[in-house]
Amino acid sequence: MSLTLQDLEEVQKEHPEWQLELVNVSILAMGPSDYISEEIGARLIILLGLWVLPRRLGRVTGSSAGFILPNHDLRAPDVSFVKAERLKQSRRDFVELLPDLIVEIKSKTDLIKPLREKIEYFLELGTIVGILIDPDRLNLTVYRPESTPQVLRDGDVLTIPELFPGWELPISDLWPPVFE
């Protein structure tokens, strides 16, 4: 049975607590993130937003922002960025465009391969940069079209000059602090 965006919206109305994506005409239910993965996503949104918002570069969103892709899939990366000139005004609906940046954060029950495949799919469609954060290994991998993935660890600094000129993020700033 082929499901549509309208079918997903009906299921979502019945179960607003579910995080759903439409992938290859099937509805995919996403489980909640573990606390560390969600905290990393929140930290990245804050740190990126502090750079993006005053410069009016675009929009940073979290894991509930849905993007309708050219093949009519509805996907929701953990963190996304869309350039201002591509989305001049937010909408009270899913947006029909590709984000310029997507970030996937591995939860404790996730496998790396499907996350990497999701990022690679977005890049094939036109996303500029994809990032996969692995809290288990304390690293992140930066993907760009037609480039070798770049693995960054503590002590390294993330830069994305094609989207955020001058922005720098020490990788260690992503990891949740330990309060003593």
Side-chain angles (χ1 to χ4, degrees), residues 33-46 105 174-177 179:
S33 294
D34 61 80
Y35 197 88
I36 286 178
S37 297
E38 186 61 24
E39 187 174 357
I40 290 168
R43 292 173 72 79
L44 180 57
I45 288 169
I46 290 166
I105 303 163
L174 289 173
W175 314 133
F179 301 116

Side-chain angles (χ1 to χ4, degrees), residues 141-155:
T141 305
V142 181
Y143 296 85
R144 291 177 169 89
E146 301 175 22
S147 295
T148 302
Q150 177 188 22
V151 178
L152 301 174
R153 296 176 175 78
D154 279 350

